[in-house]
Amino acid sequence: MKLSLNSQSNLFRAVLSILAGFVIVGVLLKMSGYSPLQCYQALAEGATGIRSGKPINLSDRGFYIGSWQGNFSPYTFAQTLATITPLLFCGLAIALGLRAGLFNIGALGQMTLGAMTAAFVGAIGAHGSLKPVAGSLPHWAHVPLALLAGAVAGGLWGALAGYLKAKRGVHEVLSTIMLNYIALNLANYLAMHNLKDPNPSNMAAQTGLIAKSAWLTPIVAQSSLTVGLLLAVAAAVGVAFLLWRTALGYEIRAVGLGAEAARTAGIPVSQILIKTMAMSGALAGVAGALEVMGIHHRFVQGTAGDYGFDGIAVALLGGSHPFGIVLSASFFGALGNGANFMQIQTDVPKTIAVVVQAIIVLLVGLRFRRTESAKPLVLAEKEGRKDG
Amino acid sequence: MEWVPKRWKPSKTRSPREVCSLRNESKVGYNLLMSAPPQNRDEMNENSPPEYAVRMENITKRFPGVVANQQVALRVQAGAFHAVIGENGAGKSTLLNILYGRYQPDSGRVFLHGREVTQSLHSPADAIRNGVGMVSQHYALIPALTVLENVLLGAEPTGFGGVLKCRAAITRIHELANQLQIASLDVNQRADSLSVAAQQKVEILKALYRGANTLLLDEPTATLAPQEAESLFTLLRNLVEKGTTVLFVTHKLREVAAHSHAVTVLRAGQNAGDFITSETNEAELLHCMIGARSNSAGQPLIPFGDVTETEGYAGDTWAATRPAVSGSPLLQIEAVTVRNSRRVEVVKSATLELMHGEIVGVAGVDGSGQRDLAEAILGLQTVSIGKIFLEGSEITRDTVAQRYQKGVAYIPEDRHRSGMILDFSVTENYTLGHHRQDNWGGGTLIHPPIMTAHTAAMIQQYDVRISELGALIPARSLSGGNQQKIVVARAMQSAPKLLIACQPTRGLDVEAARFVYRTLEQARREGLGILLFSLDLEEILQLSDRVAVMFNGRIVTVLSTAQATPEEIGAWMTGAKTGGTEA
Amino acid sequence: MGNGWLMALVTSTLFNATPLALAAMGGVLSERAGVVNIALEGFILLGAFVGFYFGLHSVFMGVLAVVVAGALFGLLHAFFTQKARMNPVVSGLGLNLLIAGATRYLALRLFPQGDHIAGLSPNLFLSLAAVLPFLLVFTLQQTKFGLRLRAVGENPESARMAGISPTLPRYMAVMLSGVCASIAGAYLSMADAHTFTSDMSAGKGYVALAAVIFGKWNPLGAAGGALFFGFFYALQTQLQINQYHLNWLGVEWTSPFLLDCLPYAMTLLALVSVIGRATPPAALSQEE
């Protein structure tokens, strides 16, 4: 794999941004009357499942931690790993777009439609009125089929934004935002009307349960951790392979770094944009399908959560590199699950994690340069002589 | 610095008041300067009174990896018509930009009319305040603004609340337009509706509107037809006679000889000599410009000397040495019309034929549709009407990639935007466009080892100078000449039949330009047909077997080498002559 | 129904267009100066929060705080994109995320019960939204600031050559943009809902940006775009209020979920039909 020469400085920048984010939020916490250290300790405990200091009894605060193994709660750690899964998929989705020079803000919508479609396909053979096809499928066929359905739905939704960008010139940020709202409402409509849970006692917008044959079994009892995490890591390797070992990936990077030069070299830029958005949407769609198959076993309103937007932070912190994204998704997964834990333990609203995330995004994006070197570099090449 | 500067100073020292009075009696000032060559010019007197409009001393300017100016001195007599010459890359533009406040020198001092401004020259605004105006080659007027807005920008007359007060300004602009003999200037017209030549005149007007007494021009004739250039120099000469100091940068010796009073020569970022124009000649200037690399005085700017010696050719131009062109046409363009994204016809019913082993030059004023025609042949722009044939088979509707496969190759005009991806490595750049070919291991996957091997062979063959980090460094860090070598090498890699070369030597130093010319000549001898788009008439005249001229989107004529004189081409370029092949 | 329904639709259109138009003027200012401004969404939310919180004490304080906060966050966006050379989309998204997270956090801390305020008359905002586009046209075309703003938006390098620094007009434009958008937010909390709820901007900043493009970066055109999109917001609410019912081909067309799609779908359709014929300020597309 090609490693950029300044990857070390990128890592340094990322670590610095994270530290700065915690310091700034620490000040905010202090100002609103909390003890930052206590908060961060709770955060760390929630993230790792390892308790430090005096043992805390959380069950009376309504937070399930499963069984302890010494000072370690496998369940809590498994929840962190489970949170990493959709973050990793969405981060990869957004990074793939960024490699082609596209800001895919639409992971939310793509994930939502992926989830809804997986719920629909997953219902094959289920009890109740939500049955696309009569008969049932074996586990080994049903799981891939539902995942594939999620990928296709997310991919098509992404490809739509890609088409609008490539052929109609609609900026992808605007189109994907609009497509997010449409997808959310569309999925909720289906969950409320045509595909509504047949159980009459249920008023909320949600579908019926999917067939058992499409369920993913948790790796740690009761947790949300499934084989999905392995799929996510495999996807990271796959995206890396795509970008640096395939002709398509080469073309994606060419379009992202110099669309005009790519076009001049005969690369069909429009097609590349559409394909990239389709693949990006497919990754987000799989994330949605996994949420349905591994956690809720049905589509519920808000299945996609904030993962679509968190993915932006994941991709940027990870430097749009698949392996960097594995690290940054791990970090944000830990942050997210830790914040849940912290909210229970210290009453700090978990939304504070979003503030940390925002500060990291802003700091990691900073590119200070000496004012002069940017443009004259080109002029200098033209005007000057190579020095030595 | 081993050269001995031939500095000169005027025979008589004048007080600033005298200089002023000279400006009023313009004729006298002009004649004085021309007829009374200064004596004792090897003598230096640091305490001489400030009669220089511009004095730059020991200017050094570094860019990352490059020394653009090294200990450069420039002295311009007030009221003089002063030229700065040198090859591409000699540091002329950098010097001008320092004087205009766009770059700050790393060391050195700048004086304007005897007053040191080194510390206060931080931006063009500072230069304008000091009476300096600049007509730049690239960042000219803002296309979407009107002429009036462009002229006023930065010097807006305002009333209460910052509201623009244009009436007096319009009167003043019309006065200046009359002075400059710009006929029928509509100040409410968008700047991009003017021709390049007219835009340039508006730029001069803009500088004068701000009260500039020193006018800097960076390669002012690079994009003009000969007649337009002549008209520009007439205008500038009038300004000089009225007392304005004009300092222009060029690499065209003919202009220097015909129009300037004094010349400063730069070579490789350093002073190479100062001359009074009337006391020197083109050969001496050329020798000074090119230095040890020239082996005889009077050698043409385009370095055929090398080619003739090493390749065994004789004669001034290749055209004279060429075998007769024969056979079936390689490329046929039949009544091609191209519309841009705003549905405006940018190429109008163009017809042209190109044979194997022939170079056809396409001349024209900048923006006459050359780029659009080139892109239409490549498939980068859609042909609205008409057909294009390659070796008799139609390619009008083929994709760009298909055309490359059929043997078309392309050297784009804008190296940084279209030619390469600056953040890609050398290897990745060299692979661009070939990445799906079999002999590159292409297909679904790419094979870095094969890419690396091909690139290493190319680096060897074309003598690309890269640092010890090798072909993994981003192309951004290479010099312009080395970047262009990669672009040219990439075009030639797939053994093409047709080469579309757009301004292939733009911005290159002599050595890199020689490489390009050698490659073109080699390709032509191997039977390629080459369509050479260039704004440099000299280049076109030297290289082409035939010259097509474009004007306003049309190919107005195709001239044989015998017919193609600069004057004849110029007449067609500016629309002074019409008719021709188009019927 | 009948006439009353029509009147209600017209009024509702005007008031739905008000925040869009105000934010769109911010979009015009920023984009004409060559700075992509996705942060409009966040600025709206910011204005809504600050206007509500300080408006609890006094209306004057609320308005003042809205203007100051908008200018400050505008300054931040200008700093990030100009001085720190951050990609404007990244800066905008980061600011949106920051404001969304911080306002939600602060709302939970400061008024968990969800207070209400008397606030301001919506007509005030409506009048402002009606006058501002004309004022902006005049400013852009007839003043020194407007000329410089357009110049740096078209070509910062040429502007520099003409002796003006692109920095000042751009900072000014983006700060004013922040002020406009946060006033739009203040309308939502102070004049419309009389309370603050998290994420109450609900994509209006992006729709406003679409209105800017729809109006070809022209203030009057953008205001027209705001009216156009405002109409669909109004249609959606009026259909919901009147509990109009339509079931056709087995689809509940009047389900709140589908009606909620309406403004966004129309925005997307409008963008698809307009773009291609519109020329953005030249420097917008060159920003890296």
Side-chain angles (χ1 to χ4, degrees):
Chain A
M1 299 296 136
K2 185 196 134 204
L3 274 175
S4 67
L5 293 168
N6 55 356
S7 59
Q8 253 184 333
S9 76
N10 281 345
L11 187 66
F12 179 69
R13 180 199 295 278
V15 170
L16 215 61
S17 305
I18 291 172
L19 286 179
F22 278 118
V23 169
I24 295 170
V25 168
V27 172
L28 184 66
L29 287 172
K30 186 83 191 163
M31 274 164 48
S32 34
Y34 297 110
S35 154
L37 279 183
Q38 227 172 344
C39 294
Y40 287 160
Q41 191 191 341
L43 191 77
E45 285 174 7
T48 58
I50 300 170
R51 61 183 170 186
S52 55
K54 63 177 186 336
I56 316 145
N57 187 1
L58 282 163
S59 46
D60 59 325
R61 307 194 71 157
F63 192 78
Y64 182 82
I65 47 167
S67 57
W68 289 99
Q69 290 180 5
N71 275 342
F72 177 61
S73 156
Y75 169 83
T76 308
F77 185 62
Q79 286 306 90
T80 290
L81 292 180
T83 316
I84 292 171
T85 309
L87 285 175
L88 189 45
F89 270 111
C90 287
L92 289 171
I94 286 150
L96 192 58
L98 286 174
R99 286 283 172 184
L102 293 164
F103 271 98
N104 178 13
I105 315 296
L108 172 62
Q110 293 144 12
M111 199 175 153
T112 303
L113 288 191
M116 175 48 93
T117 312
F120 182 70
V121 172
I124 295 173
H127 300 289
S129 68
L130 173 66
K131 268 203 297 185
V133 190
S136 60
L137 285 168
H139 187 61
W140 60 264
H142 206 175
V143 168
L145 188 68
L147 283 174
L148 187 70
V152 168
L156 286 175
W157 206 241
L160 179 57
Y163 169 81
L164 293 176
K165 164 83 173 185
K167 300 287 184 189
R168 311 305 295 255
V170 182
H171 197 288
E172 72 279 3
V173 168
L174 285 180
S175 66
T176 50
I177 289 275
M178 299 304 146
L179 288 171
N180 277 348
Y181 286 110
I182 294 171
L184 278 178
N185 282 307
L186 220 52
N188 289 340
Y189 166 81
L190 289 172
M192 198 63 182
H193 296 272
N194 304 43
L195 301 178
K196 188 166 169 46
D197 185 1
N199 183 350
S201 68
N202 183 9
M203 302 301 289
Q206 63 176 40
T207 65
L209 283 174
I210 59 172
K212 286 265 191 203
S213 54
W215 287 30
L216 297 174
T217 40
I219 292 172
V220 174
Q222 305 291 325
S223 77
S224 313
L225 180 62
T226 63
V227 71
L229 182 64
L230 295 181
L231 280 183
V233 174
V237 176
V239 170
F241 184 82
L242 170 77
L243 285 174
W244 287 288
R245 282 292 185 277
T246 68
L248 179 60
Y250 174 85
E251 288 169 350
I252 289 173
R253 288 184 296 125
V255 168
L257 291 173
E260 195 50 43
R263 204 172 74 91
T264 306
I267 294 172
V269 174
S270 296
Q271 279 181 39
I272 298 294
L273 292 179
I274 296 171
K275 281 181 191 165
T276 307
M277 279 303 286
M279 289 188 289
S280 175
L283 285 167
V286 171
L290 285 173
E291 292 294 288
V292 165
M293 295 157 68
I295 301 172
H296 308 289
H297 306 303
R298 54 156 52 106
F299 179 89
V300 298
Q301 204 170 346
T303 297
D306 285 331
Y307 293 123
F309 285 96
D310 298 343
I312 299 166
V314 171
L316 292 174
L317 183 66
S320 299
H321 192 290
F323 301 150
I325 286 166
V326 172
L327 294 180
S328 69
S330 305
F331 167 74
F332 280 119
L335 181 68
N337 198 48
N340 285 338
F341 189 83
M342 178 178 75
Q343 174 166 318
I344 302 292
Q345 213 184 334
T346 62
D347 290 326
V348 175
K350 65 177 177 184
T351 178
I352 199 73
V354 177
V355 181
V356 179
Q357 198 176 312
I359 293 171
I360 291 171
V361 166
L362 287 173
L363 292 182
V364 126
L366 289 184
R367 290 278 185 278
F368 284 100
R369 276 187 219 150
R370 270 182 45 241
T371 31
E372 227 181 69
S373 66
K375 277 172 301 301
L377 189 64
V378 175
L379 274 169
E381 282 164 0
K382 182 187 150 191
E383 268 297 319
R385 206 165 49 98
K386 258 326 228 193
D387 194 16
Chain B
M1 297 208 316
E2 69 270 26
W3 57 272
V4 183
K6 289 201 235 167
R7 293 230 174 77
W8 61 282
K9 66 186 198 64
S11 57
K12 211 175 93 184
T13 53
R14 295 184 204 96
S15 71
R17 182 185 299 260
E18 279 174 306
V19 174
C20 284
S21 71
L22 276 178
R23 253 183 235 152
N24 296 336
E25 306 159 61
S26 48
K27 272 289 183 207
V28 183
Y30 182 67
N31 288 337
L32 250 180
L33 261 164
M34 292 314 288
S35 58
Q39 309 291 312
N40 307 328
R41 50 183 165 130
D42 290 334
E43 204 179 276
M44 284 286 298
N45 186 354
E46 286 291 342
N47 302 320
S48 64
E51 68 263 69
Y52 293 118
V54 174
R55 187 152 74 89
M56 300 173 84
E57 300 287 356
N58 296 324
I59 299 291
T60 298
K61 177 67 184 173
R62 285 171 228 276
F63 291 114
V66 173
V67 183
N69 285 155
Q70 191 175 343
Q71 299 282 323
V72 174
L74 174 70
R75 287 148 186 231
V76 181
Q77 184 85 11
F81 203 146
H82 194 110
V84 177
I85 61 168
E87 342 165 13
N88 276 318
K92 313 174 298 264
S93 291
T94 305
L95 195 62
L96 221 58
N97 279 315
I98 288 173
L99 186 54
Y100 195 56
R102 291 183 74 201
Y103 304 152
Q104 273 67 56
D106 296 323
S107 64
R109 303 166 76 184
V110 182
F111 300 83
L112 290 172
H113 294 285
R115 207 162 51 80
E116 177 157 12
V117 292
T118 320
Q119 294 308 315
S120 58
L121 203 58
H122 295 301
S123 69
D126 299 327
I128 292 167
R129 244 194 314 283
N130 282 301
V132 179
M134 180 154 168
V135 176
S136 123
Q137 203 182 341
H138 304 292
Y139 307 105
L141 304 175
I142 297 175
L145 300 188
T146 65
V147 169
L148 176 67
E149 288 170 336
N150 265 299
V151 173
L152 295 190
L153 186 66
E156 303 89 345
T158 54
F160 175 75
V163 177
L164 295 173
K165 287 167 78 176
C166 300
R167 192 165 298 165
I170 292 173
T171 317
R172 174 88 183 112
I173 290 170
H174 281 302
E175 272 172 36
L176 286 169
N178 282 338
Q179 260 182 47
L180 295 173
Q181 289 161 340
I182 307 176
S184 65
L185 181 69
D186 176 5
V187 294
N188 291 319
Q189 186 170 13
R190 264 173 68 118
D192 57 4
S193 66
L194 298 173
S195 72
V196 176
Q199 286 189 31
Q200 209 169 37
K201 288 182 179 171
V202 170
E203 274 206 88
I204 295 171
L205 192 156
K206 175 174 155 183
L208 295 180
Y209 180 83
R210 286 137 207 264
N213 54 34
T214 306
L215 199 58
L216 317 180
L217 298 104
D218 188 3
E219 302 267 6
T221 59
T223 58
L224 299 183
Q227 284 84 346
E228 290 170 331
E230 212 42 57
S231 143
L232 175 71
F233 277 111
T234 310
L235 186 156
L236 291 174
R237 214 164 29 228
N238 283 335
L239 285 176
V240 169
E241 284 179 26
K242 294 196 176 88
T244 307
T245 308
V246 172
L247 175 60
F248 73 107
V249 155
T250 187
H251 62 259
K252 297 181 183 168
L253 290 175
R254 203 173 300 140
E255 292 174 356
V256 175
H259 304 288
S260 71
H261 299 156
V263 192
T264 297
V265 184
L266 295 185
R267 186 171 69 225
Q270 304 181 1
N271 282 90
D274 289 82
F275 301 91
I276 302 284
T277 311
S278 55
E279 293 181 350
T280 182
N281 56 48
E282 284 190 37
E284 192 183 4
L285 288 175
L286 182 74
H287 181 81
C288 191
M289 244 171 89
I290 300 187
R293 268 176 301 170
S294 69
N295 27 24
S296 64
Q299 186 190 13
L301 252 186
I302 297 179
F304 295 104
D306 268 15
V307 179
T308 4
E309 283 163 26
T310 57
E311 316 285 345
Y313 279 77
D316 284 334
T317 66
W318 296 341
T321 69
R322 279 170 190 177
V325 172
S326 62
S328 58
L330 170 65
L331 173 76
Q332 290 160 286
I333 303 166
E334 285 183 3
V336 162
T337 295
V338 178
R339 294 198 183 91
N340 68 7
S341 56
R342 278 186 283 170
R343 313 288 299 151
V344 178
E345 285 188 3
V346 283
V347 176
K348 297 167 189 164
S349 192
T351 299
L352 190 65
E353 262 190 15
L354 179 72
M355 309 304 240
H356 290 275
E358 181 187 42
I359 298 181
V360 170
V362 181
V365 174
D366 196 13
S368 299
Q370 301 99 311
R371 184 186 313 164
D372 306 281
L373 179 59
E375 291 191 348
I377 300 169
L378 252 302
L380 293 167
Q381 288 201 43
T382 317
V383 173
S384 307
I385 312 169
K387 288 174 178 172
I388 300 172
F389 297 90
L390 184 71
E391 290 188 312
S393 67
E394 188 173 347
I395 57 166
T396 322
R397 300 287 158 224
D398 286 358
T399 64
V400 181
Q402 281 169 335
R403 294 181 210 216
Y404 282 133
Q405 257 164 25
K406 289 182 180 174
V408 182
Y410 184 42
I411 301 174
E413 171 183 335
D414 190 335
R415 191 163 55 239
H416 290 158
R417 243 174 78 79
S418 314
M420 38 180 31
I421 296 174
L422 293 174
D423 291 319
F424 259 13
S425 70
V426 172
T427 307
E428 285 171 320
N429 265 302
Y430 186 54
T431 308
L432 196 61
H434 301 303
H435 59 278
R436 282 192 188 268
Q437 283 171 9
D438 290 339
N439 57 343
W440 286 73
T444 317
L445 303 182
I446 54 170
H447 293 275
I450 300 178
M451 286 161 58
T452 312
H454 276 293
T455 309
M458 177 274 294
I459 287 171
Q460 187 87 40
Q461 187 189 344
Y462 290 91
D463 189 26
V464 179
R465 311 268 166 83
I466 52 177
S467 67
E468 65 279 9
L469 282 168
L472 290 177
I473 56 165
R476 185 185 291 284
S477 59
L478 297 185
S479 73
N482 282 317
Q483 289 177 343
Q484 189 71 342
K485 278 184 180 176
I486 296 170
V487 172
V488 172
R490 189 179 66 205
M492 302 311 296
Q493 211 277 336
S494 52
K497 298 170 189 154
L498 167 68
L499 177 64
I500 314 285
C502 295
Q503 306 219 58
T505 61
R506 194 171 79 159
L508 299 185
D509 58 32
V510 166
E511 219 164 311
R514 276 180 197 195
F515 159 78
V516 173
Y517 294 137
R518 257 200 310 271
T519 311
L520 292 186
E521 166 59 7
Q522 176 79 24
R524 181 188 161 283
R525 269 191 291 150
E526 284 164 8
L528 263 81
I530 300 175
L531 209 50
L532 172 70
F533 292 82
S534 178
L535 297 176
D536 188 343
L537 266 192
E538 211 158 334
E539 184 171 282
I540 287 202
L541 286 170
Q542 299 250 20
L543 296 183
S544 307
D545 300 296
R546 290 184 296 145
V547 180
V549 185
M550 289 192 77
F551 171 68
N552 200 11
R554 293 177 192 281
I555 293 180
V556 284
T557 187
V558 182
L559 304 166
S560 67
T561 17
Q563 300 166 300
T565 61
E567 292 69 29
E568 178 71 11
I569 296 176
W572 289 101
M573 275 167 80
T574 50
K577 269 191 161 184
T578 49
T581 56
E582 177 220 349
Chain C
M1 300 290 275
N3 236 346
W5 195 82
L6 192 68
M7 271 310 293
L9 187 63
V10 170
T11 324
S12 176
T13 297
L14 288 177
F15 284 112
N16 273 296
T18 298
L20 295 178
L22 287 170
M25 292 311 113
V28 169
L29 273 166
S30 178
E31 302 240 323
R32 283 299 280 271
V35 183
V36 173
N37 199 347
I38 308 261
L40 286 182
E41 175 76 7
F43 294 162
I44 293 179
L45 196 56
L46 175 79
F49 175 80
V50 169
F52 173 71
Y53 180 64
F54 289 92
L56 284 173
H57 305 285
S58 87
V59 169
F60 174 75
M61 278 290 291
V63 172
L64 188 70
V66 164
V67 172
V68 171
L72 277 179
F73 273 76
L75 181 66
L76 213 54
H77 186 54
F79 172 80
F80 283 146
T81 53
Q82 302 305 302
K83 181 76 184 166
R85 292 176 175 275
M86 196 190 281
N87 181 312
V89 175
V90 173
S91 168
L93 288 173
L95 285 174
N96 289 348
L97 203 58
L98 179 68
I99 293 168
T103 52
R104 195 186 302 165
Y105 172 78
L106 291 172
L108 282 170
R109 288 290 296 159
L110 299 172
F111 32 84
Q113 264 68 52
D115 297 328
H116 281 258
I117 55 167
L120 282 162
S121 157
N123 291 326
L124 216 62
F125 289 91
L126 179 61
S127 325
L128 186 63
V131 174
L132 204 54
F134 294 96
L135 190 67
L136 209 54
V137 168
F138 180 81
T139 308
L140 285 177
Q141 295 302 325
Q142 304 291 333
T143 69
K144 177 171 140 182
F145 171 65
L147 174 58
R148 291 188 170 195
L149 188 153
R150 283 184 292 138
V152 301
E154 287 292 340
N155 192 333
E157 202 46 46
S158 290
R160 210 173 274 133
M161 289 294 286
I164 64 175
S165 153
T167 315
L168 187 67
R170 282 195 164 169
Y171 271 69
M172 287 285 291
V174 180
M175 283 172 77
L176 284 174
S177 166
V179 173
C180 287
S182 56
I183 290 176
Y187 166 82
L188 295 180
S189 68
M190 295 176 83
D192 188 44
H194 298 279
T195 186
F196 176 83
T197 48
S198 30
D199 297 324
M200 74 189 296
S201 50
K204 288 201 169 60
Y206 298 108
V207 175
L209 209 54
V212 173
I213 297 168
F214 189 69
K216 298 178 184 177
W217 289 269
N218 179 325
L220 293 179
L227 270 176
F228 178 76
F229 297 139
F231 169 76
F232 291 101
Y233 277 101
L235 191 64
Q236 166 219 335
T237 35
Q238 289 304 310
L239 287 173
Q240 279 182 38
I241 288 169
N242 290 288
Q243 304 205 320
Y244 187 74
H245 192 78
L246 174 68
N247 187 322
W248 184 50
L249 299 175
V251 177
E252 286 288 333
W253 294 99
T254 44
S255 149
F257 290 122
L258 287 191
L259 287 180
D260 274 348
C261 288
L262 192 61
Y264 306 113
M266 290 316 294
T267 305
L268 199 56
L269 276 180
L271 285 175
V272 171
S273 61
V274 156
I275 296 179
R277 279 174 280 280
T279 325
L284 269 189
S285 40
Q286 289 164 8
E287 295 291 331
E288 286 277 296

